[in-house]
């Protein structure tokens, strides 16, 4: 991080973009950069894709570092268009260019800003990469390129095998992996018989990680919650009176649900961690784990996706990534890299349970491996015949009958846009990695469908992963619509007809763009969550409304499952699928309204992509997030603010005026703390005496 800030300070760089694969990592990097340059008022750090910071840097003396996911980078470029200029692009976890679905979005983002900024410097960062030079292959031939290939360990990582002693379920032998001859370390004695796989994880973790700093890898959020609950009941996990842990428990109860299982667990120094949790809760869990107050943390694959969380010990059994897929060796070692991170611990232990169980470890405990990079686009193009057939069949009458969409839709959309832009795939940068015959075959398939497209190039480039065939099909549906043209529009989330409009728009997207809101019977629920998210409702309010709905309709439910499903729907529908496809819907609608000479219906001041990404529909709520507040804190404050049109300065003035009364507003202490920190009102030198 420090090298990035030093470079920005000492070079001519005005705009730098740091790309991270997940929102969790974006939040962590943004916070780290802000801490490193607290005293430097000449650099602004932000993770919001808003134009104000950009223009204040390009027209003034300040410099800016944007910390984005690939989707947020597309959002900012969509707002700025050809005016977008960037001097330095850093791509962290660059091997994610090979990920299913989002890998092509990352590749498209890199290529898009590179075309607009041919002199831009690009830095790819990827841990334990087998072939880092692969990332430089598509750079212009006349650009200097350097690849640094190193795999030097900075700490000692011990892989320890744990197997039950025959006939003694409470005793487990431990052996250190050392070449081909394991070294016996001794016997681990458990206080209880570990009946069941979850209890094995929990009891062994508790016995081996008594000093704390122990991560327990679980295959899914439900398992993480169950394992954490088991650990919390064992000796050494007594209820705490530590105020920071009590504050986190209070936030979990008020920010999610009064019976959210995390709350009583953290009061005993135990927690769980998964990607769909609210960012303020997740980052506080991480901070308290680093500080040693949370001693045991049951986690999921979020830890592989880049969250920089180090520990003393990792306990794992039969790790999976995705839907039951055995974890690849490079992912296992990416996870193992959390044990004993340099600067925190000088050595770490990875305890692998039941190493000889073939169901748990199909190929045994993975040997140290480096990550082979291969772009998602290259993998899909290698299935040339099937891909060509998919493209030729893309305009099928019923999209519900479209086969292999999960495999080919994203890359197919990328290839069609590339063909429309260049006239042939043979002129694309990736062409050198594929046979001329394969490219000609794909060209023939693309030629036929591209002839049907008259969607403008600027609309196509704004929506990576959305097929031009679908966009054209949607435009034709608008042209054939015989009802009131205003019925095609979305309604503001506060409008009484907002829910009905979103249901209709989602069904229209499924029928014309791509069947994404599935199953069809759940579209009303998808629409309801999206509208509630846009209204700025808190996660706790959305969960409460789902519970009330279930109760009104006499439907049984399990609270932990409902909470996790709601979190997942917010992340996957409201913050990923809806922004991607509803933004495309609105752009095509703008084309149609212009064509129909109804520009009066176009709202140029409202960007649905930004609104959905952050769950806001008012200027005040967005301004609070511009200050650096998490959405949870921004929503909690917005509930206390009367006006919906406050800019950043107006929000700061409100905080300054009402800060002394926060204690009487029943705001969680962590929200008060974050508010005072981002507004600068917790600075003792400023003379403020606000109490949490």
């Amino acid at each position: 991080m420090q090298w990035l800030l030093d470079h920005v300070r000492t070079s001519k760089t005005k705009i730098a973009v740091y790309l991270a694969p997940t929102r969790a990592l974006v939040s962590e990097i943004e916070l780290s950069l802000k801490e490193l340059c607290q005293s430097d008022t000449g650099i602004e750090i932000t993770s919001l894709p808003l134009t104000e910071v950009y223009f204040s840097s390009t027209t003034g003396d300040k410099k800016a570092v944007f910390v984005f996911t690939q989707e947020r980078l597309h959002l900012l470029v969509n707002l700025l268009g050809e005016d977008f200029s960037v001097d330095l692009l850093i791509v962290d976890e660059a091997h994610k260019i090979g990920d299913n679905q989002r890998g092509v979005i990352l590749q498209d983002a890199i290529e898009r800003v590179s075309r607009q900024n041919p002199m831009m410097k690009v830095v790819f960062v990827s841990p334990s990469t087998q072939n880092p030079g692969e990332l430089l292959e598509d750079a212009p031939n006349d650009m200097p390129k350097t690849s640094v290939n190193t795999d030097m360990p900075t700490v000692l990582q011990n892989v320890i095998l744990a197997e039950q002693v025959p006939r003694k379920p409470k005793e487990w032998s431990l052996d250190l992996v050392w070449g081909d001859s394991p070294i016996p370390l001794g016997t681990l004695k458990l206080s209880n018989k570990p009946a069941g796989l979850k209890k094995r994880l929990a009891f062994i973790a508790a016995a081996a990680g008594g000093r704390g700093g122990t991560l327990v890898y679980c295959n899914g959020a439900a398992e993480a919650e169950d394992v954490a609950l088991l650990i919390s009941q064992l000796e050494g996990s007594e209820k705490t009176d530590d105020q920071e842990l009590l504050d986190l428990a209070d936030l979990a109860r008020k920010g999610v649900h009064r019976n959210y299982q995390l709350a009583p667990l953290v009061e005993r120094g135990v927690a769980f961690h998964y990607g769909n949790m609210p960012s303020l809760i997740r980052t506080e869990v991480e901070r308290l784990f680093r500080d040693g107050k949370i001693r045991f943390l049951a986690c999921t694959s979020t830890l592989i996706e880049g969250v920089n969380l180090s520990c003393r010990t990792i306990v794992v059994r039969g790790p999976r990534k995705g839907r039951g897929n055995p974890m690849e060796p490079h992912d296992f070692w990416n996870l193992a890299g959390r044990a004993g991170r340099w600067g925190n611990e000088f050595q770490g232990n990875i305890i692998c349970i039941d190493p000889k169980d073939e169901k748990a470890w199909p190929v045994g405990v993975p040997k140290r491996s480096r990550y082979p990079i291969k772009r998602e686009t290259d993998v899909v193009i290698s299935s040339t015949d099937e891909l060509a057939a998919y493209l030729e069949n893309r305009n099928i009458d019923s999209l519900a009958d479209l086969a292999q969409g999960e495999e080919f839709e994203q890359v197919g959309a990328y290839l069609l846009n590339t063909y429309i832009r260049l006239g042939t795939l043979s002129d694309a940068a990736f062409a050198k990695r594929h046979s001329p015959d394969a490219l000609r075959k794909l060209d023939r398939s693309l030629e036929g469908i591209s002839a049907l497209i008259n969607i403008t190039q600027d609309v196509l480039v704004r929506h990576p992963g959305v097929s031009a065939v679908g966009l054209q099909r949607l435009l034709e549906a608008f042209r054939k619509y015989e009802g009131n043209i205003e019925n095609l529009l979305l309604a503001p989330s506060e409008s009484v007809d907002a829910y009905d409009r979103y249901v209709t728009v989602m069904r229209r997207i499924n029928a014309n763009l791509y069947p994404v809101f599935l199953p069809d019977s759940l579209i009303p629920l998808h629409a309801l969550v999206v509208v509630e998210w846009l209204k700025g409702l808190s996660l706790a309010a959305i969960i409460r409304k789902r519970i009330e709905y279930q109760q009104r309709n006499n439907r049984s439910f399990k609270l932990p499952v409902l909470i996790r499903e709601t979190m997942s729907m917010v992340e996957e529908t409201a913050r990923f699928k809806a922004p991607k496809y509803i933004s495309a819907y609105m752009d095509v609608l703008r084309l149609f309204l212009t064509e129909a000479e109804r520009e009066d219906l176009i709202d140029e001041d409202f960007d649905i992509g930004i609104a959905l990404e952050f769950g806001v529909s008012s200027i005040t709520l967005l301004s609070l997030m511009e200050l650096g507040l998490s959405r949870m804190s921004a929503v909690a404050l917005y509930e206390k603010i009367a006006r919906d049109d406050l800019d950043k300065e107006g929000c700061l003035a409100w905080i300054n005026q009402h800060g002394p009364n926060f204690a009487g507003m029943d705001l969680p202490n962590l929200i008060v703390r974050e508010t005072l920190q981002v507004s600068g009102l917790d600075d003792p030198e400023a003379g403020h005496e606000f109490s949490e």
Side-chain angles (χ1 to χ4, degrees):
M1 299 296 174
Q2 188 63 55
W3 67 267
L4 168 59
L5 295 176
D6 291 343
H7 175 83
V8 172
R9 287 190 186 103
T10 59
S11 71
K12 295 181 180 180
T13 295
K14 291 282 287 182
I15 303 290
V17 174
Y18 193 115
L19 284 185
T22 63
R23 293 189 187 95
L25 191 53
V26 163
S27 300
E28 182 178 334
I29 292 167
E30 179 187 23
L31 182 61
S32 297
L33 288 172
K34 284 182 175 179
E35 289 176 349
L36 286 171
C37 67
Q38 279 181 342
S39 59
D40 190 338
T41 57
I43 301 177
E44 186 157 2
I45 314 293
T46 183
S47 62
L48 274 66
L50 301 176
T51 58
E52 289 81 358
V53 174
Y54 178 86
F55 286 126
S56 69
S57 297
T58 55
T59 60
D61 295 330
K62 274 195 172 186
K63 299 184 176 187
V65 177
F66 292 93
V67 187
F68 288 158
T69 59
Q70 52 263 44
E71 288 85 5
R72 288 189 189 179
L73 176 56
H74 279 294
L75 284 173
L76 183 60
V77 183
N78 286 350
L79 290 171
L80 293 168
E82 294 298 321
D83 293 333
F84 181 69
S85 175
V86 60
D87 305 299
L88 174 64
L89 175 67
I90 298 147
V91 185
D92 199 357
E93 303 282 332
H95 53 274
K96 297 294 181 182
I97 204 167
D99 276 8
N100 184 34
Q101 304 293 321
R102 294 184 70 228
V104 69
I105 309 299
L106 175 57
Q107 181 173 341
D108 197 284
I110 296 168
E111 293 177 355
R112 183 180 182 186
V113 297
S114 297
R115 288 196 299 270
Q116 289 187 218
N117 302 274
M119 301 308 294
M120 173 182 68
K121 295 179 181 177
V122 184
V123 178
F124 295 101
V125 182
S126 183
S128 302
T129 298
Q130 189 180 100
N131 53 335
E134 175 77 14
L135 294 164
L136 307 178
E137 282 201 359
D138 289 349
N141 293 329
D142 58 344
M143 293 293 289
K145 300 178 280 289
T146 303
S147 175
V148 179
N149 190 348
T150 180
D151 191 31
M152 183 178 296
T154 55
V155 296
L156 178 63
Q157 291 172 330
N158 306 310
V159 176
I160 298 172
L161 309 180
E163 294 184 83
Q164 183 199 311
V165 175
R167 300 178 304 283
K168 296 181 180 180
K170 293 169 66 173
E171 296 185 14
W172 290 70
S173 62
L174 302 180
D175 295 286
L176 175 67
V177 174
W178 191 265
D180 295 327
S181 302
I183 300 174
L185 297 178
T187 301
L188 186 69
K189 295 186 178 181
L190 311 184
S191 55
N192 298 277
K193 295 178 182 178
L197 302 182
K198 293 175 185 176
K199 288 188 176 181
R200 276 186 222 178
L201 272 173
F203 296 175
I204 291 174
R211 293 175 57 206
T214 301
L215 288 176
V216 188
Y217 184 84
C218 301
N219 294 318
E223 183 174 292
E225 292 185 9
D226 289 343
V227 168
L229 176 61
L230 289 167
I231 294 174
S232 72
Q233 301 172 54
L234 301 176
E235 186 178 352
S237 297
E238 287 75 24
K239 196 167 183 177
T240 182
D241 58 359
D242 183 276
Q243 190 59 48
E244 289 191 311
L245 291 173
L246 296 177
D247 286 346
L248 176 54
D250 180 56
L251 181 65
R253 291 187 175 102
K254 292 178 179 177
V256 179
H257 190 272
R258 64 180 182 275
N259 292 325
Y260 188 36
Q261 186 61 50
L262 182 68
L265 295 181
V266 297
E267 290 174 341
R268 294 180 177 275
V270 181
F272 50 80
H273 181 291
Y274 44 79
N276 292 335
M277 296 170 69
S279 63
L280 182 58
I281 291 178
R282 190 180 59 243
T283 54
E284 187 66 7
V285 166
E286 293 164 8
R287 185 183 73 83
L288 294 176
F289 181 77
R290 290 189 185 99
D291 289 350
K293 294 189 174 184
I294 291 177
R295 298 166 57 241
F296 296 93
L297 183 57
C299 63
T300 65
S301 59
T302 305
L303 269 296
I304 305 174
E305 303 300 328
V307 176
N308 295 312
L309 199 62
S310 60
C311 64
R312 289 191 182 97
T313 303
I314 295 175
V315 180
V316 60
R317 182 192 185 278
R320 300 292 186 264
K321 186 184 178 188
R323 297 180 180 177
N325 301 315
M327 188 178 286
E328 296 287 339
H330 45 259
D331 280 325
F332 175 84
W333 282 100
N334 193 357
L335 172 66
R338 314 292 161 187
R341 282 204 157 185
W342 183 78
N344 293 285
E345 300 285 342
F346 292 103
Q347 69 171 352
N349 300 318
I350 305 99
I351 299 177
C352 301
I353 300 173
D354 296 330
K356 295 178 182 177
D357 187 325
E358 293 185 359
K359 289 184 178 179
W361 306 90
V363 294
V365 174
K367 299 194 180 296
R368 188 176 290 273
S369 174
R370 303 175 72 185
Y371 204 113
I373 293 176
K374 191 166 186 179
R375 293 169 177 79
E376 181 188 4
T377 51
D378 289 340
V379 172
V380 174
I381 291 173
S382 65
S383 302
T384 306
D385 292 340
E386 296 91 337
L387 176 58
Y390 179 83
L391 293 170
E392 292 166 8
N393 197 44
R394 179 57 179 79
N395 205 26
I396 191 172
D397 289 340
S398 173
L399 293 184
D401 297 328
L402 193 63
Q404 293 185 283
E406 283 286 318
E407 185 177 354
F408 294 134
E409 176 68 8
Q410 306 288 319
V411 174
Y414 167 83
L415 293 177
L416 180 53
N417 281 2
T418 302
Y419 181 88
I420 292 172
R421 178 167 50 85
L422 299 177
T424 175
L425 298 184
S426 298
D427 290 343
F430 59 73
K432 56 182 170 286
R433 294 190 294 277
H434 302 279
S435 74
D437 287 344
L439 296 176
R440 280 193 292 269
K441 185 176 182 66
L442 292 173
D443 270 353
R444 287 193 295 271
S445 299
L446 293 166
E447 181 181 12
I449 59 176
S450 66
L452 305 173
I453 310 300
N454 55 35
I455 297 288
T456 58
Q457 182 67 37
D458 65 312
V459 171
L460 296 180
V461 77
R462 286 168 59 87
H463 302 290
V466 179
S467 175
V469 176
L471 296 171
Q472 184 67 41
R473 183 172 173 148
L474 182 62
L475 180 58
E476 298 297 337
F478 290 152
R479 288 169 175 167
K480 294 175 183 176
Y481 185 71
E482 296 179 354
N484 185 338
I485 198 171
E486 294 189 24
N487 291 336
L488 299 173
L489 299 170
L490 290 171
S493 58
E494 299 82 4
S495 176
V496 293
D497 60 341
Y499 165 74
D500 291 334
R501 290 292 181 89
Y502 274 90
V503 168
T504 301
V505 166
M506 287 179 176
R507 288 191 170 134
R508 201 171 280 134
I509 287 171
N510 278 2
N512 296 285
L513 278 180
Y514 186 72
V516 61
F517 301 108
L518 298 173
D520 187 73
S521 60
L522 282 184
I523 282 181
L525 180 57
H526 286 290
L528 185 61
V529 169
V530 166
V531 171
E532 291 171 345
W533 176 251
L534 277 175
K535 282 181 178 179
L537 267 62
S538 66
L539 177 63
I542 296 173
I543 290 171
R544 185 175 65 250
K545 286 179 175 293
R546 281 204 66 189
I547 292 172
E548 291 169 354
Y549 174 83
Q550 299 291 93
Q551 292 172 337
R552 277 197 311 271
N553 291 277
N554 295 317
R555 295 182 179 179
S556 62
F557 65 92
K558 294 181 179 179
L559 182 62
V561 175
L562 184 143
I563 289 174
R564 290 193 299 269
E565 286 180 348
T566 305
M567 288 181 179
S568 177
M569 190 165 287
V570 166
E571 286 297 314
E572 295 176 15
T573 296
R575 303 191 70 180
F576 181 64
K577 294 176 181 177
K580 179 176 179 177
Y581 288 96
I582 294 179
S583 294
Y585 176 96
M586 292 303 297
D587 269 359
V588 175
L589 184 57
R590 287 189 186 93
L591 282 181
F592 172 67
L593 293 175
T594 302
E595 181 182 288
E597 299 182 348
R598 290 301 310 269
E599 292 94 335
D600 58 297
L601 297 176
I602 300 175
D603 185 356
E604 298 290 357
D605 297 326
F606 180 69
D607 187 287
I608 187 66
I610 296 289
L612 283 166
E613 170 71 16
F614 297 101
V616 298
S617 60
S618 76
I619 295 172
T620 299
L621 191 49
L622 187 59
S623 298
L624 289 167
M625 296 179 72
E626 280 190 79
L627 292 176
L629 288 174
S630 64
R631 184 181 185 275
M632 179 175 279
S633 294
V635 167
L637 286 185
Y638 184 51
E639 290 175 351
K640 312 294 182 182
I641 300 175
R643 290 178 56 180
D644 64 3
D645 61 347
L646 295 181
D647 58 13
K648 285 173 62 176
E649 288 69 28
C651 289
L652 280 172
W654 186 93
I655 293 169
N656 192 48
Q657 177 184 353
H658 295 276
N661 301 320
F662 279 170
M665 295 185 187
D666 195 31
L667 292 168
N669 285 347
L670 285 175
I671 288 177
V672 173
R673 189 186 74 190
E674 185 185 35
T675 302
L676 300 182
Q677 284 177 342
V678 302
S679 62
L681 298 180
D682 66 338
D683 183 355
E685 296 182 5
H688 300 287
E689 297 181 355
F690 300 158
S691 172
E692 299 185 17

